[in-house]
Amino acid sequence: MPYRYTCHQCQAQSPAEHPYPAAAEADRQEHRNSAHGGLAPLQGDGIHHVHAISRGDGILPRHSCLAALFLLALILANCWGR
């Protein structure tokens, strides 16, 4: 499950999802150094799991399912045209 860093004070997020929390921790430290002088932000920050639904995974059908739906639509359009 991927991880992402978020700063609640700046509304900033790490630019990429990381497979391990240590990589997100590096984003946290880099942001704290550049935006907060190395200190923790007053409103807090954190590293959290990025769930599949928030990434958009599983919302749309996979490519093979889309191709099957497209072919079905073509067949139905052909039948209605006769």
Side-chain angles (χ1 to χ4, degrees):
M1 187 177 275
Y3 296 88
R4 178 169 274 172
Y5 166 69
T6 304
C7 176
H8 302 295
Q9 183 170 334
C10 300
Q11 300 297 316
Q13 281 191 339
S14 56
E17 296 173 359
H18 302 289
Y20 303 106
E25 181 66 40
D27 280 349
R28 170 193 279 187
Q29 196 56 48
E30 180 181 334
H31 176 75
R32 283 181 176 183
N33 289 341
S34 64
H36 304 289
L39 303 173
L42 292 175
Q43 295 179 0
D45 61 355
I47 296 171
H48 59 278
H49 292 284
V50 179
H51 299 285
I53 195 72
S54 67
R55 291 193 323 261
D57 296 350
I59 293 174
L60 296 175
R62 299 235 183 253
H63 298 290
S64 60
C65 185
L66 288 175
L69 289 174
F70 180 72
L71 288 175
L72 180 62
L74 286 177
I75 292 169
L76 291 174
N78 188 28
C79 291
W80 283 327
R82 292 183 180 205

